[in-house]
Amino acid sequence: MSNKIHREITPLQEDDCFLVFDRKRKLFNFPVHFHPEYELNFIANADGARRVVGDHMEEIDDLELVMVGPNLYHGWENYKNSGSVLLHEVTLQFPGDLFQNQLLQKNILKPIRELLHNSNRGILFSKETSLMAAERLIHMSKKRSFDSYIEFQSLLYDLAISRDQRLLTNISFQKNNDFYNSDKIEKIYNFVRDNYTQRIKLEDAANLLNMSIVSFSRLIKQRTGKSFVDFVNEVRLGYATRMLIETTKSVSEICYECGFNNISNFNRTFKKKQNCTPSEFRTNFNGERNVY
């Protein structure tokens, strides 16, 4: 199934810092794809279209701004959008090595470091932030100067500190996820990742950090916004959705390989997170698409 997802060769050259494309068209015509560059995508007048980012799919409103990290599946499909209004798309791409790791460790760049890290799960920004960024992106698309590079850096920083950001994919959908800002959570994530196919007990995870169950549960809730059970299920769902996309294994096989104890529980947990059953998710992702 992974052959339905295209590897895009972007026009970025080795000596490019970034590229901006400003285009207007009736309908989306590029399939779900991935590439090693970071991408920031502003879209207007596409009400009813569908956003696909990793294992996330959702119908969109009239405008939005999304950032995706390297090699994360993404694309926009026409879905319910008829093309009656000319859609406007402004895309900014920049290479992953533009910011050297040593530079990103500086305190002043911490927000940008976190922005780049979070983009590995896909970031949806608020409408207010989208409108703020749109004018600046359009302006950058018309200029090629050092001033535009300064504006690019400034825009990334403003996006990094903007409010109401929403991460789109499940925790474990990206294979190389990490929690660099919390050693304890990273340790628990690695424990869950290594054992997600088996039964995972709350007390075993708490013992790993030498904490009581109450203190451990409070820590998980504070740092992830989820209960430990929900955290474990999200890790399992990340692996499950990737298998639904990339393999031909049956839903039943995927259910048990990802640590769910029965099909009904798997379907219920999956639908609560994805608003569709595993079978519907596979059909939506790999079935016939409204692309022209």
Side-chain angles (χ1 to χ4, degrees):
M1 292 188 182
S2 57
N3 61 1
K4 295 179 181 291
I5 302 170
H6 294 243
R7 174 25 166 117
E8 181 189 2
I9 306 298
T10 69
L12 271 169
Q13 302 297 313
E14 282 190 14
D15 55 354
D16 289 330
C17 287
F18 64 89
L19 289 178
V20 185
F21 309 92
D22 185 348
R23 54 207 158 187
K24 295 181 179 180
R25 49 186 170 171
K26 282 192 173 182
L27 293 165
F28 294 106
N29 56 11
F30 201 76
V32 174
H33 60 283
F34 66 96
H35 45 70
E37 293 80 15
Y38 288 91
E39 180 171 299
L40 183 66
N41 219 28
F42 169 78
I43 296 174
N45 305 327
D47 189 23
R50 181 164 62 185
R51 174 198 323 114
V52 179
V53 177
D55 59 356
H56 160 92
M57 288 182 285
E58 185 175 64
E59 185 176 338
I60 71 173
D61 295 325
D62 58 328
L63 65 86
E64 69 172 20
L65 182 70
V66 170
M67 183 171 178
V68 295
N71 299 317
L72 178 60
Y73 305 154
H74 62 280
W76 279 259
E77 301 173 336
N78 298 311
Y79 196 46
K80 298 178 182 177
N81 178 39
S82 64
S84 58
V85 179
L86 210 60
L87 65 86
H88 189 187
E89 186 176 14
V90 187
T91 302
L92 183 152
Q93 295 176 338
F94 62 96
D97 61 359
L98 184 61
F99 296 94
Q100 296 299 323
N101 189 57
Q102 188 174 0
L103 177 63
L104 285 174
Q105 298 310 309
K106 305 300 181 184
N107 288 334
I108 198 171
L109 290 181
K110 181 181 178 183
I112 292 180
R113 183 169 76 243
E114 293 182 349
L115 176 77
L116 297 179
H117 177 265
N118 288 337
S119 71
N120 288 310
R121 291 181 60 189
I123 306 171
L124 174 66
F125 297 95
S126 69
K127 290 286 183 69
E128 182 182 5
T129 301
S130 301
L131 290 170
M132 174 276 293
E135 185 176 346
R136 295 166 71 175
L137 284 168
I138 293 169
H139 181 69
M140 288 165 61
S141 71
K142 303 182 188 317
K143 296 182 64 177
R144 289 292 183 272
S145 67
F146 186 72
D147 287 343
S148 64
Y149 176 72
I150 298 299
E151 176 63 12
F152 163 67
Q153 299 266 20
S154 175
L155 175 60
L156 285 185
Y157 185 82
D158 288 343
L159 292 175
I161 63 174
S162 66
R163 295 184 176 183
D164 301 321
Q165 298 178 27
R166 176 184 163 202
L167 300 184
L168 298 177
T169 68
N170 283 312
I171 292 172
S172 60
F173 184 82
Q174 283 295 82
K175 293 178 179 177
N176 297 319
N177 215 324
D178 69 278
F179 294 86
Y180 67 90
N181 59 343
S182 174
D183 291 341
K184 289 182 177 179
I185 298 300
E186 182 173 4
K187 190 172 184 178
I188 292 302
Y189 172 73
N190 290 337
F191 169 71
V192 174
R193 182 191 61 192
D194 293 341
N195 296 280
Y196 73 93
T197 61
Q198 309 166 32
R199 183 184 178 193
I200 298 176
K201 296 181 180 179
L202 174 60
E203 52 265 35
D204 290 340
N207 289 337
L208 196 65
L209 299 184
N210 296 316
M211 298 177 70
S212 69
I213 289 178
V214 173
S215 297
F216 174 78
S217 298
R218 186 183 302 117
L219 171 71
I220 293 294
K221 187 70 174 180
Q222 287 175 343
R223 299 309 298 266
T224 71
K226 305 175 180 67
S227 69
F228 181 65
V229 171
D230 288 340
F231 179 79
V232 172
N233 281 340
E234 185 166 347
V235 172
R236 286 173 169 155
L237 287 174
Y239 287 105
T241 50
R242 180 173 285 278
M243 291 172 71
L244 287 165
I245 293 169
E246 297 182 349
T247 77
T248 56
K249 292 183 178 182
S250 70
V251 171
S252 179
E253 287 178 295
I254 292 171
C255 163
Y256 292 108
E257 285 188 27
C258 290
F260 291 94
N261 54 11
N262 60 70
I263 289 290
S264 60
N265 179 44
F266 178 49
N267 284 332
R268 183 171 58 253
T269 304
F270 194 98
K271 190 168 186 177
K272 181 179 178 181
K273 176 68 176 179
Q274 298 287 358
N275 295 316
C276 63
T277 66
S279 297
E280 290 168 342
F281 175 87
R282 175 173 269 172
T283 299
N284 289 339
F285 202 100
N286 296 296
E288 291 298 318
R289 298 175 180 276
N290 264 337
V291 189
Y292 298 84

